[in-house]
Each structure stands twice: as structure tokens, then as C-alpha cells.
Amino acid sequence: VRAGGSWSRTSGQSVGSGSQTTITWTTEGLDTHGFLTPTSGTVTIPAGMGGLYAITAQLDAAAALGGRCYAQITAAGRIYRTPFTSPGEDLVSVSATVPLASGDTISVAVYHASGSTITWTGALDVYRVSY
């Protein structure tokens, strides 16, 4: 069995302009070992589940952004960030493949400078690809 999970946010999460905000995941598609509690923004690697993980997050803005934006994965204290998008975009995604140990955490955040509050939906996939 492949270890990991898939979560989504189907209702919009409000993110103010100029603020980096951690996305909380509201719907669980699959979670093989209790990596995340729905409505949380933090995935935790369970005991005995260390290894190399592929992490992908895609975030969708409810409207075209009037300013620049980035998405960020923080995994075990390391930051993986997309380059700034151009104004007018409404989708941002970020991926990383990271060695993680039991107890390490993963979170996803978004930042935008659109001048107003924007709501976001999206998806997060975290799967162990090697032991």
C-alpha cells in the first residue's frame, strides 16, 4: 500500500492581500496512516513512516489576481516556493520531493498582493515514494 494522502479545500478560504496564510484542508480523499486531521493545515509524518515524499499543492483563486502571488510548501522547516505569478493569474501550484522523518510536518501557504481579500480552494497530495 502506498503511504500518504490526498486532501482538498472545496470551500473558499479567505486570504487578505499582503498576508501569507496557511491553507487548511477540509476534505480527505485518502489518508493511509493518519497523516492529517481534516480542517487542519499541518500534515505530520507518522511513526515508522519516514522516507522520501513527493508533495504537490494546487491552489485556485476565486478571481483573477490583481497582483503577484506565490504558493509555498514548508516541510521539516525547509521552504519550497514558486516564483511570483503575473497579475491576472488565478492558479498557482508548487511541488517538492523531500526526505522526511517521523514527526516532521508539512504545510502549504499562499501569498498574494491583489489589494483585496481573495478566497482560495485547492488540493494537496503527499505520498511516500521511497523508504
Side-chain angles (χ1 to χ4, degrees):
V1 172
R2 179 171 63 173
S6 295
W7 303 273
S8 62
R9 176 158 194 103
T10 54
S11 60
Q13 179 174 337
S14 295
V15 176
S17 181
S19 81
Q20 179 175 296
T21 302
T22 298
I23 300 298
T24 56
W25 306 102
T26 57
T27 304
E28 183 175 88
L30 174 71
D31 189 337
T32 64
H33 293 81
F35 284 82
L36 179 133
T37 302
T39 72
S40 171
T42 303
V43 172
T44 303
I45 305 302
M49 298 306 298
L52 185 66
Y53 281 81
I55 307 163
T56 301
Q58 178 176 312
L59 302 172
D60 299 295
L65 300 171
R68 298 176 356 146
C69 165
Y70 66 76
Q72 170 180 302
I73 294 170
T74 302
R78 294 180 300 266
I79 295 172
Y80 305 88
R81 185 180 293 162
T82 60
F84 275 107
T85 63
S86 301
E89 298 287 336
D90 65 354
L91 175 70
V92 62
S93 61
V94 59
S95 297
T97 303
V98 183
L100 297 170
S102 298
D104 284 346
T105 61
I106 302 163
S107 63
V108 175
V110 66
Y111 167 89
H112 72 92
S114 293
S116 62
T117 297
I118 301 286
T119 59
W120 295 82
T121 58
L124 172 64
D125 295 307
V126 176
Y127 287 99
R128 186 169 68 175
V129 294
S130 179
Y131 299 88

